[in-house]
Amino acid sequence: MVGTVSNVGAVIRGELTRVITALEHLADIEVFLVESDSSDNSIQELSALHEKDSRISFVSLGTLRQKFPSRIERIRFCRNQYVEFIRTGYQKSGWDFIVVVDLDG
């Protein structure tokens, strides 16, 4: 499961629980999220989730607003990060399917 996130600190636990619960009967779950431009506690929440569940990983790209003023360009840049994760991870993991999720509540 992959996705982009920003300012999801208040909702990410519930959102991930809901999606993982819905999918875990299908296969082993691996989560990779790409965070950017959060002004809340998203990074702390993602770190806590990773420490609790090693299936959940993320990368934070920091503040991209200066480099990419357009929200669409920022999302595209972040999406390309998880596309690269998929390209390299599939070689090792051979996933049966990949789910792109929207986790902003």
Side-chain angles (χ1 to χ4, degrees):
M1 176 180 1
V2 296
T4 62
V5 294
S6 182
N7 290 323
V8 294
V11 298
I12 192 65
R13 285 181 188 270
E15 292 290 297
L16 275 178
T17 298
R18 185 171 50 87
V19 175
I20 288 171
T21 300
L23 296 175
E24 67 186 349
H25 71 281
L26 299 174
D28 292 332
I29 302 287
E30 184 175 351
V31 178
F32 179 72
L33 303 174
V34 180
E35 181 281 332
S36 75
D37 295 282
S38 292
S39 58
D40 66 355
N41 65 335
S42 293
I43 295 171
Q44 293 85 354
E45 286 295 319
L46 290 166
S47 293
L49 287 166
H50 170 71
E51 285 190 26
K52 182 180 175 185
D53 187 341
S54 63
R55 300 177 299 173
I56 301 169
S57 63
F58 76 98
V59 61
S60 177
L61 301 180
T63 303
L64 299 176
R65 288 182 199 274
Q66 298 296 333
K67 186 173 182 179
F68 304 107
S70 165
R71 180 176 179 268
I72 293 169
E73 290 296 318
R74 288 193 303 273
I75 292 170
R76 182 181 310 157
F77 184 79
C78 292
R79 181 210 56 215
N80 287 341
Q81 299 296 309
Y82 74 62
V83 167
E84 187 58 33
F85 172 82
I86 291 167
R87 285 184 179 142
T88 58
Y90 184 77
Q91 301 286 329
K92 295 181 268 181
S93 301
W95 300 304
D96 291 326
F97 53 89
I98 297 162
V99 176
V100 178
V101 292
D102 183 353
L103 298 167
D104 65 0

